[in-house]
Amino acid sequence: MKIRRIALLLILAAALLAPGSALAQSDSETLTLRMSRDFGYSGFDNTIEGLYSLHAAGPENLVRVEFYIDGQLIASVEEPPFRHQFSTSTYQPGARVFSARGFTSDGGQLESNQLTRVLITDEESNQMLFRILGPILGISLVIILGMGLISMRASRKPFDGKYSMLGGAVCPNCQLPFALNLMAPRLLLRRWQRCPHCGKWVVVGRASQPDLAAAEARWRGESAAAASATDPEERKRRQIDDSRYN
């Protein structure tokens, strides 16, 4: 009874392993074709334009691969990597079927899967790119302009010596400090913002503490001078002092 059970288990194991080994053998004897874009346009509807490459992969004894378009031979490669680069402008626009045929060292032949692509002209690809990028660029421009307007309104407020959560900047024109605006258009690590002191648009980044301290000292000095110039009592005192010399 034990011998029969062992024999039955061996038969079941062989039956379970047989399909897997056959599948592995069939997988190793297949030729896989794929396409990659080197430079150009590729749409979601299988439309392509530009420079592309065909790649074929198969068993280790693969010695030659022929590449076809609509059944017509376009290239024969006899050494790995089995790759053929082509330009879509070489062929007439329209739907095209790409395939490959492989040859092994033992005389066998392998047929690849088929790839269907729609070849388009350069003018058509430019039009499609404009349809895709046009609305994106338009929305981006509206956002930048809106942020610029918000930043302009914020920059009209006089500087009160306080900074935002982004910190402060120093105007390269008047050398006075102001707060960085979160809504100001960002250019890499800097921001495009209007200086509330001189009114000029500048590209600035977050200033260091020593630079801000020096700019604040200049701002306080100018503020004190402006306040004294507009103070009636101070102006009267200066007139009295000047009259002594006259």
Side-chain angles (χ1 to χ4, degrees):
M1 293 295 294
K2 292 183 179 180
I3 296 176
R4 291 181 179 179
R5 291 179 180 177
I6 294 174
L8 182 59
L9 291 175
L10 291 175
I11 294 173
L12 291 175
L16 292 175
L17 293 175
S21 61
L23 181 60
Q25 183 178 3
S26 62
D27 289 342
S28 63
E29 295 298 327
T30 58
L31 185 66
T32 303
L33 178 67
R34 66 180 182 89
M35 181 182 297
S36 65
R37 178 180 58 183
D38 300 327
F39 179 80
Y41 169 81
S42 177
F44 296 104
D45 52 352
N46 287 335
T47 54
I48 61 173
E49 185 276 323
L51 199 62
Y52 283 76
S53 290
L54 293 170
H55 306 266
E60 295 182 357
N61 61 344
L62 188 65
V63 294
R64 182 164 61 94
V65 173
E66 294 178 349
F67 295 97
Y68 295 85
I69 178 172
D70 291 339
Q72 299 294 324
L73 179 65
I74 58 175
S76 179
V77 182
E78 297 183 354
E79 58 182 10
F82 298 101
R83 170 179 175 267
H84 171 63
Q85 189 180 65
F86 69 97
S87 174
T88 58
S89 60
T90 308
Y91 308 99
Q92 290 294 327
R96 297 289 179 264
V97 178
F98 296 87
S99 60
R101 178 178 298 162
F103 299 87
T104 58
S105 58
D106 57 1
Q109 293 189 15
L110 302 174
E111 298 293 336
S112 74
N113 55 300
Q114 294 183 346
L115 302 176
T116 301
R117 299 291 185 271
V118 179
L119 277 57
I120 60 176
T121 63
D122 181 62
E123 292 77 9
E124 291 175 330
S125 66
N126 291 335
Q127 292 176 0
M128 292 183 177
L129 283 174
F130 180 77
R131 293 174 185 173
I132 296 174
L133 298 179
I136 298 176
L137 294 176
I139 294 174
S140 301
L141 182 60
V142 170
I143 293 175
I144 292 175
L145 291 177
M147 294 174 64
L149 292 175
I150 296 175
S151 176
M152 182 183 297
R153 293 192 61 181
S155 63
R156 290 178 180 176
K157 298 179 180 179
F159 179 64
D160 57 357
K162 299 180 181 179
Y163 302 110
S164 66
M165 58 182 297
L166 298 178
V170 178
C171 177
N173 295 311
C174 62
Q175 299 298 317
L176 296 179
F178 58 90
L180 287 172
N181 189 353
L182 183 63
M183 298 303 297
R186 186 171 180 177
L187 303 174
L188 296 180
L189 299 178
R190 304 171 73 84
R191 291 182 181 274
W192 184 50
Q193 193 168 334
R194 182 177 180 271
C195 174
H197 305 288
C198 62
K200 295 183 178 180
W201 286 89
V202 292
V203 179
V204 292
R206 184 171 184 175
S208 62
Q209 194 61 37
D211 292 340
L212 286 176
E216 288 174 3
R218 286 190 293 269
W219 170 68
R220 292 191 185 97
E222 291 189 5
S223 299
S228 62
T230 57
D231 187 9
E233 295 295 332
E234 179 67 19
R235 186 166 58 252
K236 184 176 180 181
R237 186 185 63 80
R238 288 187 178 183
Q239 289 176 355
I240 295 174
D241 292 340
D242 294 340
S243 65
R244 293 176 183 177
Y245 298 99
N246 297 329

